[in-house]
Amino acid sequence: MPLLDEDYLFPADPQARRVARALYEHIDGLPLISPHGHTQAQWFADNEAFPDPAKLLVIPDHYVFRMLVSQGVRMEDLGVPSVDGSPVETDSEKIWQIFADNYYLFAGTPTRLWLDHSFQHLFGIDEPLNSDSAGRCFEHIARCLEQPEFRPRALYERFNLEVISTTEDPLDELKHHRQIRESDWNGRVISAYRPDMVVDPDYEGFAHNLAALGELTQCDTRSWRGYLEAHRQRRVFFKAMGATSTDHGHPSARTADLNDGEAERLFHDVVSGKASGEQKDLFRAQMLTEMAKMSIEDGLVMQLHPGSWRNHSHLVHKRFGRDKGFDIPTTTDYVGALKPLLDAVGHSPDLSLILFTLDESTYSRELAPLAGAYPALKLGPAWWFFDSAEGMKRYRQLTTETAGFYNSVGFNDDTRAFPSIPARHDVARRVDCAYLAELVSTHQLHMNEAEELAVELAYGLAKRAYRL
Amino acid sequence: MPLLDEDYLFPADPQARRVARALYEHIDGLPLISPHGHTQAQWFADNEAFPDPAKLLVIPDHYVFRMLVSQGVRMEDLGVPSVDGSPVETDSEKIWQIFADNYYLFAGTPTRLWLDHSFQHLFGIDEPLNSDSAGRCFEHIARCLEQPEFRPRALYERFNLEVISTTEDPLDELKHHRQIRESDWNGRVISAYRPDMVVDPDYEGFAHNLAALGELTQCDTRSWRGYLEAHRQRRVFFKAMGATSTDHGHPSARTADLNDGEAERLFHDVVSGKASGEQKDLFRAQMLTEMAKMSIEDGLVMQLHPGSWRNHSHLVHKRFGRDKGFDIPTTTDYVGALKPLLDAVGHSPDLSLILFTLDESTYSRELAPLAGAYPALKLGPAWWFFDSAEGMKRYRQLTTETAGFYNSVGFNDDTRAFPSIPARHDVARRVDCAYLAELVSTHQLHMNEAEELAVELAYGLAKRAYRL
Amino acid sequence: MPLLDEDYLFPADPQARRVARALYEHIDGLPLISPHGHTQAQWFADNEAFPDPAKLLVIPDHYVFRMLVSQGVRMEDLGVPSVDGSPVETDSEKIWQIFADNYYLFAGTPTRLWLDHSFQHLFGIDEPLNSDSAGRCFEHIARCLEQPEFRPRALYERFNLEVISTTEDPLDELKHHRQIRESDWNGRVISAYRPDMVVDPDYEGFAHNLAALGELTQCDTRSWRGYLEAHRQRRVFFKAMGATSTDHGHPSARTADLNDGEAERLFHDVVSGKASGEQKDLFRAQMLTEMAKMSIEDGLVMQLHPGSWRNHSHLVHKRFGRDKGFDIPTTTDYVGALKPLLDAVGHSPDLSLILFTLDESTYSRELAPLAGAYPALKLGPAWWFFDSAEGMKRYRQLTTETAGFYNSVGFNDDTRAFPSIPARHDVARRVDCAYLAELVSTHQLHMNEAEELAVELAYGLAKRAYRL
């Protein structure tokens, strides 16, 4: 019995399953578009072998280790690097054994599907991971990773990727992207402009980052005009290196549209360190509108990822740093929050603002009605905790009737885990085919429409939405 | 292949589908009750032919044009009348062609089902609307509309309507309703009393409206007592003209129960233009309780439609006015908001307050528990963005287990689009039959109970809830 | 035709139904664990016959009478005891007739399933309850209740209960629990420590309760240290009498982590009656963290049940008192609210805090991400209004993908209605089997995994989570 049945995630009803399978076969060969994620350009630039299974699949993946931590495994024992000097496990085989011992915890989660998909389709494993098989699986994967066909560029090709986007901050010189472009390899690895570190006054090292931005751009980043000009320059540079989008990870979706004088005074208070919490929040809000206006100028598509309470656990943040599985979603308002930006530029035919959410109650109440009206808005796919079979199904059920399919932008994998990319796209494609099959089976769509839509959801929408 | 299969919206599972179909056949001949909507009494009074397809189906329907606008079509090019004098397209065939070119955008939406249903069952069209068929469809529908059997009264009868309610404000003299009553036609076209224009101090022309109400009723509408008396008189008049309900479109569900002196002082501040934003909101809140008390006196059923951020787009509001597809739902509280009213009159056997929502998170958390306890409360059907197959299914799934079926009030179409009325009721009936079939198939209901409930959901509950 | 088909609540799809049935048969014989509820220890101590059908099944069950009240039946006519001296119906047969006349109102609700399950499996009734059968059913049940095999201890055994927990306050001397332990009966009836009456300054008689606690423990409960010591003593006593958990019914999930001096000053203000509303709320918040710290010391599992607006109807509260079906859920925040407690003790391997909610929008947004990260947190089952087929299904669909199955704690019945306990567990087991069958049918789980999980969800998780 293979780890994953060839019909996994298709509807249980035989007739609907046949439709889903037919739709899936129709799109199975389409290339993968990966317009938003967190892989590293250096992998493709250097094209070196990935390290061992634990270092590849466990230690860097907060989806994986937070689940083990929630059941009492210590992060130290999983080899998660500490930032405060606490000693952590370094024996990859030991770490892998703990992971395998607890693999049953992932039953019913997308992580389980992604991992089983990789084990089966990437590494050719056909036995379930558990305490007993742990050593054999480790050894087998480790041996695979030594082979040339498991190097990053080979995998890019094997995965049938057409383009993959990384995410970098304005201070990044994108030297790995340059190295890839100048190489004889034809893979398309582009960046996305993520300016949080110089936009969010609460970001670690904000003042230092601002100074570095000034140095890099030769702009006076302590003046409002110079600061905006520095952004413009870096956006142009990112665009020249292939970027087609910007990305904004704000605590909320709040926007503002201050006049020039107000904005300048606010910036002055922020830069001088005198800004209150409210002023800092207003500054982030204002910067979203500024970024939207620059998007209209330079054509970079804008992504907004709000609503995560970052580093919720004080202890984990102190000992292990950022992005360690303790970012927790919060209630997020879009309707009031986005109004200033939308009143300013929401009807611009040149703006494309893609909205994501971690608060599913906003899908039908706020996001679909907004995206189903404003020409500038589109809906990003089910994100993060909702990058899952049920999450994607709810996303379609809660947004399609109001916003249709064409105000959504297809799938993006948003992952740091390169080997999981085919699995993540496969899950998304299957769930979308299952959703379309349900519409066909209940006679809400004709089969020829469903076929066209399946291609759009798997490929076309992402390509056009991200201007790829 | 017909546009809509005869089994559309029934469950995919063959056994459940058979049950749904049997239930549907059981209720298929029942008359339509349309107790809440926005058709125009003048249509039935004058009984003139409807204009061409674009003027009937595209230009006045914000469900239709906001979707096209969201994908970059300009409202001007769709002929939506401007209020600021901007020129707009007037060629109906051109407008229809744009609509047809973009008809694929509605895949997966209820608008698509309603339109296909009308095309097929009302106009006898069997080819899908698209760029190629646009002209033929336009011509065919235009020719139909010229026939006597497509006049408003003929359609009322063909649709098997038993009663239809329009919505008018207190200043309306209901002359078209009178004209219908005095005619030899037996159709029942009644009004609902919607006093927002003289209740909401933020309404355009509030002071003017108040003065006009005074003139009409010969009450001193600048005094609290006179103002309430004017409402009482108009309610009596509406009731005499057939109305059985009132309707209240407030920004929130906030209610208040001030004592007489407080209410009088508040009204004085509102009338004199000195009221703050908070006072205006308190006044709206107080007026809901006043209206509830009048309902107990005169027996008019009360409807509350809160939670829409009206005219969210400044630009659209300025150029095209109200009700142009840019009303966006917001989070809505009922539990705290309704407490003053409920403490005052929530246990009155004579009050019937029907609650609607645009915030689906309140279904299971607030509305079902409230309606499943207070005798005065009932649940309006899935509304507006949720007048859709998935929306109705969620409504049943999220409210029935706590409030049962009998605290819901059946379906209402809430539409301005007269030709879509049979389609909208048909969708509702099919979704309810599918829901009941699911309960029968999982042995939560016996078939004879499901048959009774199907009749109640399609006909009985609405008739009794609205006292028709 | 039996009242309930043997396949009730299993999926409609034949293949998925077969899987669900197989899983259900796999667990059908497992004992019931009832770790949280509101039955009375006295029943098992005295082992006297239950009174008549109305007194057993209608009058004490707010799930039952609130539905009738919502449709216009008067609480007085249902015999609900008044606290203000209003006369109420005392003829149990009359009350039962009203109940039977209105039994159709429960169509589609879990109450209907629980009652039909009891009628059929406990009392052997095979005709539906309605106006006509009312008298026969009353008489039949009344005769059953006179038999020895319907006494509490016999039912405990017939229900295959392994353990049942009641809920008592700190002033309770647990004499019935003692009586049971000292009897020759082997049933395991334990208590849970519910200190709301001495923790919540807004509780009726708070000052009096505090004094009584001081008297009982010989601690100075007017000093912060003495007050905490009194809690410690009573927890030790409850634990000695079998308790394994505490339970906290707070208006919100707010927690605080004040330093000793701050806490002491706050307690002083609370005790002296000078505390503001905000201070009282802060005190409740602080006490949750204190209780968590005591849990780490003594090993009692902690349960938090927040988010109910108790006694929402002023009239019902005044006339009939607490717990009369008018407790209404409200929006509940966990992410900010729990942070102080979690920063203090959220990573303690010895703390187990089980979270419940009445705000389903928090399942996927807050609760699953929190429980899927913090080792101290687990998710209580779908609660109260959501102790229902759809409620449980949503619970699994909205939490499993992020938190897995092993961060949930199995089912608890939370009921005052002892005869409904087998029905409630049966519904939960069937819904979980149906959910697992869906995962098996869509190839997300293998059958052997589903079998293991079915045992965990029905038995193992509750037993371990509550340390039973």
Side-chain angles (χ1 to χ4, degrees):
Chain A
M1 192 165 57
L3 295 179
L4 282 177
D5 188 276
E6 60 181 8
D7 279 342
Y8 84 100
L9 290 177
F10 292 157
D13 174 72
Q15 198 268 335
R17 174 169 295 187
R18 271 193 300 277
V19 176
R21 195 190 291 139
L23 292 171
Y24 180 76
E25 282 163 5
H26 187 68
I27 60 165
D28 195 22
L30 290 174
L32 305 190
I33 303 276
S34 179
H36 177 96
H38 303 282
T39 55
Q40 295 176 34
Q42 187 174 3
W43 295 338
F44 307 101
D46 296 349
N47 200 32
E48 289 181 0
F50 286 108
D52 66 65
K55 290 209 182 75
L56 179 62
L57 300 171
V58 179
I59 297 171
D61 191 340
H62 58 67
Y63 284 80
V64 169
F65 63 72
R66 68 152 180 80
M67 177 67 94
L68 306 193
V69 167
S70 81
Q71 285 283 309
V73 179
R74 297 168 65 243
M75 243 139 112
E76 290 84 343
D77 294 336
L78 290 167
V80 179
S82 66
V83 296
D84 69 350
S86 308
V88 305
E89 181 59 62
T90 55
D91 181 331
S92 284
E93 289 186 66
K94 271 195 196 164
I95 292 165
W96 183 262
Q97 184 69 46
I98 297 174
F99 167 56
D101 292 344
N102 290 283
Y103 192 60
Y104 70 97
L105 296 175
F106 294 98
T109 72
T111 300
R112 153 74 181 272
L113 296 180
W114 300 332
L115 285 164
D116 273 8
H117 191 280
S118 298
F119 293 157
Q120 175 174 335
H121 292 284
L122 184 54
F123 298 110
I125 292 171
D126 61 4
E127 67 175 335
L129 183 64
N130 53 38
S131 297
D132 173 61
S133 67
R136 288 189 299 279
C137 291
F138 184 93
E139 197 184 343
H140 178 84
I141 296 172
R143 220 172 314 140
C144 286
L145 294 178
E146 292 163 6
Q147 308 305 313
E149 59 265 38
F150 286 85
R151 299 258 166 133
R153 291 181 181 182
L155 290 183
Y156 177 101
E157 280 148 26
R158 177 167 168 191
F159 292 169
N160 197 17
L161 276 158
E162 183 172 306
V163 56
I164 190 167
S165 177
T166 62
T167 313
E168 275 81 22
D169 63 62
L171 300 183
D172 200 298
E173 308 222 31
L174 304 182
K175 66 176 183 179
H176 299 300
H177 292 81
R178 183 184 307 275
Q179 194 179 333
I180 295 164
R181 291 164 76 92
E182 291 172 353
S183 77
D184 58 357
W185 183 57
N186 284 323
R188 187 171 172 201
V189 180
I190 63 179
S191 181
Y193 184 72
R194 174 122 177 192
D196 301 358
M197 62 153 12
V198 292
V199 159
D200 178 1
D202 289 326
Y203 208 97
E204 295 95 323
F206 174 72
H208 172 83
N209 299 340
L210 226 56
L213 181 65
E215 205 164 315
L216 185 66
T217 57
Q218 296 297 307
C219 295
D220 173 12
T221 53
R222 295 185 60 86
S223 83
W224 177 231
R225 264 165 232 287
Y227 170 73
L228 293 180
E229 179 54 28
H231 274 294
R232 272 195 201 92
Q233 277 193 27
R234 295 311 290 162
R235 292 172 63 110
V236 165
F237 170 70
F238 270 65
K239 192 174 171 183
M241 294 300 287
T244 68
S245 69
T246 70
D247 184 32
H248 307 274
H250 285 215
S252 80
R254 182 178 178 186
T255 64
D257 189 28
L258 306 176
N259 66 37
D260 260 10
E262 292 166 334
E264 188 161 3
R265 280 190 296 278
L266 178 63
F267 182 71
H268 182 77
D269 285 348
V270 165
V271 168
S272 62
K274 293 187 311 191
S276 65
E278 161 59 21
Q279 280 182 301
K280 290 175 184 175
D281 202 51
L282 182 59
F283 181 69
R284 288 188 290 261
Q286 177 64 21
M287 283 309 296
L288 285 178
T289 309
E290 297 294 342
M291 288 289 131
K293 289 177 177 169
M294 290 187 198
S295 274
I296 293 173
E297 290 169 23
D298 62 23
L300 293 180
V301 170
M302 186 172 175
Q303 301 171 80
L304 179 56
H305 286 88
S308 179
W309 185 315
R310 303 279 171 176
N311 313 309
H312 188 269
S313 168
H314 177 68
L315 185 75
V316 170
H317 188 214
K318 203 178 58 180
R319 183 163 302 163
F320 299 98
R322 298 175 70 89
D323 300 325
K324 290 299 174 290
F326 282 78
D327 298 342
I328 310 291
T330 56
T331 53
T332 308
D333 162 58
Y334 292 87
V335 182
L338 292 175
K339 186 164 164 51
L341 182 151
L342 291 171
D343 275 342
V345 292
H347 291 275
S348 163
D350 299 318
L351 177 64
S352 185
L353 169 53
I354 302 174
L355 300 173
F356 292 79
T357 195
L358 294 174
D359 179 355
E360 293 181 297
S361 74
T362 64
Y363 279 150
S364 67
R365 185 181 59 219
E366 306 183 20
L367 292 175
L370 285 167
Y374 283 98
L377 297 182
K378 290 207 168 45
L379 298 182
W383 173 43
W384 199 335
F385 298 102
F386 311 123
D387 180 4
S388 65
E390 291 288 344
M392 290 172 190
K393 191 161 80 175
R394 286 195 296 273
Y395 170 78
R396 292 287 175 212
Q397 287 172 337
L398 288 160
T399 65
T400 306
E401 293 182 321
T402 292
F405 289 103
Y406 289 88
N407 284 305
S408 68
V409 303
F411 179 68
N412 71 59
D413 53 72
D414 191 29
T415 193
R416 292 155 211 278
F418 186 52
S420 76
I421 286 182
R424 288 169 186 252
H425 285 259
D426 196 50
V427 167
R429 288 176 173 194
R430 285 168 181 269
V431 174
D432 278 338
C433 286
Y435 179 72
L436 292 169
E438 179 74 19
L439 293 181
V440 170
S441 301
T442 55
H443 302 291
Q444 298 181 68
L445 281 184
H446 297 294
M447 190 62 185
N448 64 327
E449 295 174 294
E451 282 175 354
E452 275 175 45
L453 282 165
V455 173
E456 289 291 353
L457 299 183
Y459 180 79
L461 287 174
K463 187 158 175 162
R464 291 202 304 281
Y466 284 89
R467 302 177 181 169
L468 290 165
Chain B
M1 193 165 55
L3 295 178
L4 282 177
D5 188 275
E6 60 180 10
D7 279 342
Y8 84 99
L9 289 178
F10 292 157
D13 175 72
Q15 198 269 334
R17 173 169 294 189
R18 271 192 301 275
V19 176
R21 196 191 288 139
L23 292 171
Y24 180 75
E25 282 163 5
H26 187 67
I27 59 164
D28 194 23
L30 290 174
L32 305 191
I33 303 276
S34 178
H36 177 97
H38 303 279
T39 55
Q40 295 175 35
Q42 188 174 3
W43 297 338
F44 307 102
D46 296 349
N47 199 34
E48 289 181 358
F50 286 109
D52 68 64
K55 290 209 182 74
L56 179 63
L57 299 172
V58 179
I59 297 169
D61 191 341
H62 59 67
Y63 284 81
V64 169
F65 62 71
R66 68 153 180 78
M67 177 66 94
L68 307 193
V69 167
S70 80
Q71 285 283 310
V73 179
R74 296 169 65 244
M75 242 137 115
E76 290 85 343
D77 294 336
L78 291 166
V80 179
S82 65
V83 296
D84 69 350
S86 308
V88 306
E89 182 59 62
T90 56
D91 182 333
S92 284
E93 289 187 66
K94 269 196 195 164
I95 292 166
W96 184 263
Q97 185 69 46
I98 296 175
F99 168 55
D101 293 344
N102 289 283
Y103 192 60
Y104 70 96
L105 296 175
F106 294 98
T109 73
T111 301
R112 155 73 181 273
L113 296 180
W114 300 331
L115 286 163
D116 273 8
H117 191 279
S118 298
F119 293 156
Q120 175 175 337
H121 292 284
L122 184 54
F123 298 111
I125 292 172
D126 61 3
E127 67 175 335
L129 183 64
N130 53 37
S131 297
D132 173 60
S133 67
R136 289 189 298 278
C137 291
F138 184 91
E139 198 183 342
H140 177 85
I141 296 172
R143 224 175 308 141
C144 286
L145 294 178
E146 293 162 6
Q147 309 303 315
E149 60 264 35
F150 285 85
R151 298 259 167 133
R153 292 182 181 182
L155 290 182
Y156 176 99
E157 280 148 25
R158 178 168 168 190
F159 292 170
N160 197 18
L161 277 158
E162 183 172 306
V163 57
I164 189 166
S165 178
T166 62
T167 312
E168 276 80 23
D169 62 63
L171 301 182
D172 200 299
E173 309 222 30
L174 305 182
K175 66 176 183 178
H176 300 301
H177 292 82
R178 183 184 307 272
Q179 194 179 333
I180 296 165
R181 291 164 75 92
E182 291 171 353
S183 77
D184 58 358
W185 182 58
N186 286 324
R188 186 172 173 201
V189 181
I190 62 178
S191 180
Y193 184 70
R194 173 122 177 194
D196 301 358
M197 63 156 8
V198 292
V199 160
D200 178 0
D202 289 326
Y203 208 96
E204 295 94 322
F206 173 72
H208 173 84
N209 298 339
L210 225 55
L213 180 65
E215 206 163 314
L216 184 67
T217 58
Q218 296 298 306
C219 294
D220 173 12
T221 53
R222 295 185 60 87
S223 84
W224 178 231
R225 265 164 232 287
Y227 170 73
L228 292 181
E229 179 54 28
H231 275 292
R232 271 192 203 93
Q233 277 192 29
R234 295 311 290 162
R235 293 172 62 110
V236 164
F237 171 70
F238 270 64
K239 191 173 171 184
M241 295 299 288
T244 69
S245 70
T246 70
D247 184 32
H248 307 274
H250 285 214
S252 79
R254 182 179 177 186
T255 64
D257 189 28
L258 306 176
N259 65 37
D260 260 11
E262 292 167 335
E264 189 161 3
R265 281 190 296 277
L266 177 63
F267 182 71
H268 183 77
D269 285 349
V270 164
V271 168
S272 62
K274 293 187 310 192
S276 65
E278 160 58 21
Q279 281 182 301
K280 291 175 183 174
D281 202 51
L282 182 60
F283 180 70
R284 287 188 291 260
Q286 177 64 21
M287 283 309 296
L288 286 178
T289 308
E290 298 293 343
M291 288 288 130
K293 289 176 177 171
M294 291 187 198
S295 276
I296 293 173
E297 290 169 21
D298 62 23
L300 293 180
V301 170
M302 185 174 176
Q303 302 170 80
L304 179 55
H305 286 88
S308 179
W309 185 314
R310 303 278 171 177
N311 314 308
H312 188 267
S313 167
H314 178 68
L315 185 75
V316 170
H317 189 214
K318 203 178 58 182
R319 183 163 301 164
F320 299 98
R322 297 176 69 89
D323 301 324
K324 289 299 173 290
F326 282 79
D327 298 342
I328 309 290
T330 56
T331 52
T332 308
D333 163 57
Y334 292 86
V335 181
L338 292 175
K339 186 164 164 52
L341 183 151
L342 292 171
D343 275 342
V345 292
H347 291 274
S348 164
D350 299 318
L351 177 63
S352 186
L353 170 51
I354 302 175
L355 300 173
F356 292 79
T357 196
L358 294 174
D359 179 355
E360 293 181 297
S361 75
T362 64
Y363 279 150
S364 67
R365 186 182 58 218
E366 306 182 21
L367 292 174
L370 286 166
Y374 283 98
L377 297 182
K378 289 208 168 44
L379 299 183
W383 174 43
W384 199 336
F385 298 103
F386 311 123
D387 181 3
S388 64
E390 290 289 343
M392 290 172 191
K393 190 161 82 174
R394 286 196 296 272
Y395 170 78
R396 292 287 175 212
Q397 287 171 337
L398 287 160
T399 66
T400 306
E401 293 181 321
T402 292
F405 289 103
Y406 289 88
N407 283 306
S408 69
V409 304
F411 179 68
N412 70 59
D413 53 72
D414 191 30
T415 192
R416 292 153 211 279
F418 186 53
S420 76
I421 285 182
R424 288 170 186 250
H425 284 261
D426 195 51
V427 167
R429 289 176 173 194
R430 285 167 181 270
V431 173
D432 278 338
C433 286
Y435 179 70
L436 292 169
E438 179 75 19
L439 292 183
V440 170
S441 301
T442 55
H443 302 290
Q444 298 181 69
L445 280 183
H446 297 295
M447 190 62 184
N448 63 326
E449 296 174 293
E451 283 176 354
E452 275 175 44
L453 283 165
V455 173
E456 289 291 354
L457 300 183
Y459 180 78
L461 287 174
K463 188 157 175 165
R464 291 201 305 281
Y466 285 89
R467 302 177 180 167
L468 290 165
Chain C
M1 193 165 56
L3 295 178
L4 282 178
D5 188 275
E6 60 180 10
D7 280 342
Y8 84 99
L9 290 177
F10 292 158
D13 175 72
Q15 198 268 333
R17 173 168 296 189
R18 270 193 300 276
V19 176
R21 196 191 290 139
L23 292 171
Y24 180 75
E25 283 164 6
H26 187 68
I27 59 165
D28 194 22
L30 290 174
L32 305 190
I33 303 276
S34 179
H36 176 97
H38 303 280
T39 55
Q40 294 175 35
Q42 187 174 4
W43 296 338
F44 306 101
D46 296 348
N47 200 33
E48 289 180 0
F50 286 110
D52 67 65
K55 290 209 182 76
L56 179 63
L57 298 171
V58 179
I59 296 170
D61 191 340
H62 59 65
Y63 284 81
V64 170
F65 62 70
R66 68 154 180 78
M67 177 66 94
L68 307 193
V69 167
S70 79
Q71 285 283 308
V73 178
R74 296 170 64 244
M75 243 139 112
E76 290 84 344
D77 295 336
L78 291 167
V80 179
S82 66
V83 296
D84 69 350
S86 308
V88 307
E89 182 60 59
T90 56
D91 181 334
S92 283
E93 290 187 64
K94 271 196 193 162
I95 292 166
W96 184 264
Q97 185 69 47
I98 296 174
F99 168 56
D101 292 345
N102 290 282
Y103 192 60
Y104 70 96
L105 296 175
F106 294 98
T109 73
T111 300
R112 154 73 181 272
L113 297 180
W114 300 331
L115 286 164
D116 273 8
H117 191 280
S118 298
F119 293 156
Q120 175 174 336
H121 292 284
L122 184 54
F123 299 110
I125 292 171
D126 61 3
E127 67 175 335
L129 183 65
N130 54 37
S131 297
D132 174 60
S133 67
R136 287 189 299 279
C137 291
F138 184 92
E139 199 184 340
H140 177 84
I141 295 172
R143 223 174 310 142
C144 286
L145 293 179
E146 292 163 7
Q147 309 303 315
E149 60 265 36
F150 285 85
R151 299 259 165 132
R153 291 183 181 180
L155 290 182
Y156 177 100
E157 279 147 27
R158 178 168 167 190
F159 292 170
N160 197 17
L161 277 158
E162 183 172 305
V163 56
I164 189 166
S165 178
T166 62
T167 312
E168 275 79 25
D169 61 63
L171 300 182
D172 200 298
E173 308 222 31
L174 305 183
K175 68 177 179 174
H176 299 301
H177 292 81
R178 184 185 306 274
Q179 195 178 333
I180 296 165
R181 291 164 75 93
E182 291 172 355
S183 76
D184 57 356
W185 182 57
N186 285 323
R188 187 172 173 202
V189 181
I190 62 179
S191 180
Y193 183 71
R194 174 122 176 194
D196 301 0
M197 60 152 14
V198 291
V199 159
D200 178 1
D202 289 326
Y203 208 96
E204 295 94 323
F206 174 71
H208 173 83
N209 299 340
L210 225 55
L213 181 65
E215 205 163 314
L216 184 66
T217 58
Q218 297 297 308
C219 295
D220 173 11
T221 54
R222 295 185 61 84
S223 83
W224 177 232
R225 266 166 231 287
Y227 170 73
L228 293 181
E229 179 53 27
H231 274 293
R232 272 193 202 93
Q233 277 192 28
R234 294 311 289 163
R235 293 172 61 109
V236 164
F237 171 70
F238 270 66
K239 192 174 171 184
M241 294 299 288
T244 68
S245 69
T246 70
D247 185 31
H248 306 274
H250 284 214
S252 79
R254 182 178 177 186
T255 64
D257 189 28
L258 306 176
N259 66 36
D260 260 11
E262 293 166 334
E264 189 161 5
R265 281 191 295 278
L266 177 62
F267 182 72
H268 183 77
D269 285 349
V270 165
V271 168
S272 62
K274 295 187 311 193
S276 66
E278 160 59 19
Q279 281 182 299
K280 290 175 184 175
D281 203 50
L282 181 60
F283 180 69
R284 287 187 291 262
Q286 177 64 22
M287 282 309 296
L288 286 178
T289 308
E290 297 294 343
M291 288 289 130
K293 289 176 178 170
M294 290 188 199
S295 276
I296 293 173
E297 289 169 23
D298 62 23
L300 292 180
V301 171
M302 185 174 176
Q303 302 170 79
L304 179 55
H305 286 88
S308 179
W309 186 314
R310 302 278 171 177
N311 313 308
H312 188 266
S313 167
H314 178 68
L315 185 75
V316 170
H317 188 214
K318 204 178 57 180
R319 183 163 301 164
F320 299 99
R322 298 176 68 89
D323 300 325
K324 289 299 174 291
F326 282 79
D327 298 342
I328 309 292
T330 56
T331 52
T332 308
D333 163 57
Y334 293 86
V335 182
L338 292 176
K339 186 164 164 51
L341 183 151
L342 291 171
D343 276 342
V345 293
H347 291 275
S348 163
D350 298 318
L351 178 64
S352 185
L353 170 52
I354 302 175
L355 300 173
F356 292 79
T357 195
L358 294 173
D359 179 355
E360 293 181 295
S361 75
T362 64
Y363 280 151
S364 68
R365 186 183 58 221
E366 306 182 21
L367 292 175
L370 285 167
Y374 283 97
L377 297 182
K378 290 206 167 44
L379 298 182
W383 174 43
W384 198 337
F385 298 103
F386 311 124
D387 180 4
S388 65
E390 290 289 343
M392 291 172 190
K393 191 162 79 175
R394 286 196 296 273
Y395 169 79
R396 292 287 175 212
Q397 286 171 338
L398 287 160
T399 65
T400 307
E401 293 181 321
T402 292
F405 289 102
Y406 289 88
N407 283 305
S408 69
V409 304
F411 179 67
N412 70 61
D413 52 73
D414 190 31
T415 192
R416 294 155 209 278
F418 185 53
S420 76
I421 285 181
R424 288 169 187 250
H425 284 260
D426 196 50
V427 167
R429 288 176 174 194
R430 285 167 181 269
V431 173
D432 278 338
C433 286
Y435 179 72
L436 292 169
E438 179 75 20
L439 292 183
V440 170
S441 301
T442 55
H443 302 291
Q444 298 181 69
L445 280 184
H446 297 294
M447 189 63 184
N448 64 326
E449 296 174 293
E451 283 175 353
E452 275 175 45
L453 283 165
V455 174
E456 289 291 353
L457 299 182
Y459 180 79
L461 287 173
K463 189 159 174 163
R464 290 202 304 281
Y466 284 89
R467 301 178 181 167
L468 290 165

